[in-house]
Amino acid sequence: PYDGKWSKTMVGYGPEDNHFVAELTYNYGIGEYHLGNDFLGITLVSSQAVSNAKKMGWPLREVTSGVFEVEAPGGYKFYLEDKEQLKQDPVWKVTLGVSNLQKSVSYWSGLLGMKIYEKDEEKQRALLGYADNQCKLELKAVGGAVDHGTAFGRIAFSCAKEELPDIEALMKKENQKILTPLVSLDTPGKATVQVVILADPDGHEICFVGDEAFRELSKVDPNGDKLLDDAMAADNSDKWFAEHNMKKVSA
C-alpha cells in the first residue's frame, strides 16, 4: 500500500552530525497503521518535555519514579525522564523488541561492532551503542515472535564510505540477510549517497550510509519548521476523502 505518493521530514534536537534524528514519513491515502511489537519506544531525558506535556494536557503515565510514558499520534510510545535535558542530545535511547536477546546481542555487538553498555538477563534487556555520547539502542525481549505490523521503519547509521563494502562482505560471509546490496542513490541537485541495508535476526531493517555524502544531504534547512507547518496546514485529506466519497485506507 506504500507505492504511491509520500512525503517525509527529519526532526530532532540538532544537526544529524551529532544528534539522533527521526524520519517521519507520510504516505498519501493511508489513514491508519497497524502497530506491531517491533518498535517499543524512544526515551528522552528532558524535564522540559514533561512540563510541556502537562501544560498541553497530554496524557502522562508514570511507569517508574520520574519516568513518564506518553503516546504520540498513531500510537508510538515515548518515555520522558523528568531530569535536566542532556547537553549532547536529549534522545537517550531507542528500544526495539527482539525474540531472542542473546541472538540479537550477538548480531548487533558481535557482527555490527556495537559496545554493550548494560545487560540484564532477568529483565531480558541490553543497552548497546557505538559511542558514549550518542543515542543508545536498547534491545528488549518480547516473549515471542516479533510482529512488524504495517508501520515498521528502519534504523540508519552513517559511517565512512570505504567501510560499506566490508560490512556487506561480512554479512555475506556470515550468511546474514542483505535487503539492499551496496548501491549508489542519486539525489537530484545534491550528493550521491552509498547505502547498504541489512536485516537482523528479527527482521529489523538497518541502513548503513556513506558519511561523506550523507553530511551533504543532512544539512539543516533553516526554513524547515516553516515548510513543515505550511505542509500540515495545507493537508486537507479528510475533506478530499469526503468529497470523493471514499474512506481513508487502513494499512
Side-chain angles (χ1 to χ4, degrees):
Y2 309 128
D3 289 337
K5 184 181 177 183
W6 53 270
S7 296
K8 72 174 184 178
T9 190
M10 315 297 283
V11 297
Y13 284 94
E16 288 179 81
D17 277 355
N18 49 20
H19 289 76
F20 174 88
V21 174
E23 179 180 32
L24 305 180
T25 303
Y26 177 66
N27 293 290
Y28 291 82
I30 304 297
E32 184 181 359
Y33 297 92
H34 163 65
L35 301 187
N37 61 0
D38 55 344
F39 175 72
L40 300 181
I42 292 177
T43 299
L44 309 177
V45 178
S46 173
S47 57
Q48 183 64 55
V50 175
S51 176
N52 289 344
K54 289 178 178 178
K55 287 179 182 177
M56 297 171 65
W58 204 270
L60 289 172
R61 183 172 72 91
E62 191 166 15
V63 289
T64 59
S65 180
V67 178
F68 296 87
E69 180 186 276
V70 61
E71 190 172 294
Y76 296 107
K77 298 291 179 61
F78 282 76
Y79 296 90
L80 313 179
E81 290 196 20
D82 196 5
K83 296 179 182 178
E84 184 178 353
Q85 188 164 301
L86 297 175
K87 291 182 179 179
Q88 68 268 26
D89 190 350
V91 184
W92 166 235
K93 64 184 178 182
V94 175
T95 304
L96 298 182
V98 299
S99 60
N100 184 309
L101 183 63
Q102 186 55 51
K103 190 174 182 180
S104 293
V105 169
S106 295
Y107 181 91
W108 287 89
S109 178
L111 287 180
L112 297 187
M114 276 191 157
K115 176 183 175 181
I116 301 173
Y117 285 87
E118 300 173 14
K119 191 175 181 184
D120 189 329
E121 293 288 354
E122 183 179 349
K123 294 183 178 179
Q124 282 290 285
R125 59 172 292 274
L127 190 71
L128 303 94
Y130 280 118
D132 294 350
N133 63 346
Q134 292 179 354
C135 175
K136 302 300 184 292
L137 171 68
E138 182 179 48
L139 304 175
K140 194 169 184 179
V142 295
V146 173
D147 173 15
H148 292 279
T150 61
F152 61 90
R154 66 170 59 114
I155 285 186
F157 302 95
S158 70
C159 63
K161 182 175 65 174
E162 60 264 23
E163 293 181 21
L164 295 176
D166 294 335
I167 293 172
E168 182 182 49
L170 177 62
M171 294 300 115
K172 288 180 178 178
K173 177 184 175 184
E174 298 295 332
N175 294 316
Q176 297 295 326
K177 186 174 290 187
I178 299 174
L179 299 177
T180 302
L182 182 56
V183 64
S184 294
L185 301 175
D186 291 325
T187 303
K190 294 185 179 181
T192 297
V193 66
Q194 290 76 37
V195 305
V196 59
I197 303 176
L198 315 174
D200 82 345
D202 288 300
H204 291 292
E205 296 189 10
I206 310 150
C207 181
F208 284 95
V209 185
D211 189 66
E212 297 82 351
F214 171 75
R215 288 179 184 271
E216 173 65 28
L217 292 178
S218 64
K219 288 180 179 177
V220 176
D221 188 335
N223 298 315
D225 284 344
K226 184 178 185 304
L227 288 169
L228 181 57
D229 288 341
D230 290 348
M232 289 190 294
D235 176 41
N236 294 314
S237 58
D238 290 330
K239 180 181 177 182
W240 185 89
F241 276 96
E243 290 176 347
H244 289 75
N245 197 27
M246 295 170 58
K247 290 184 178 180
K248 283 190 175 181
V249 178
S250 294

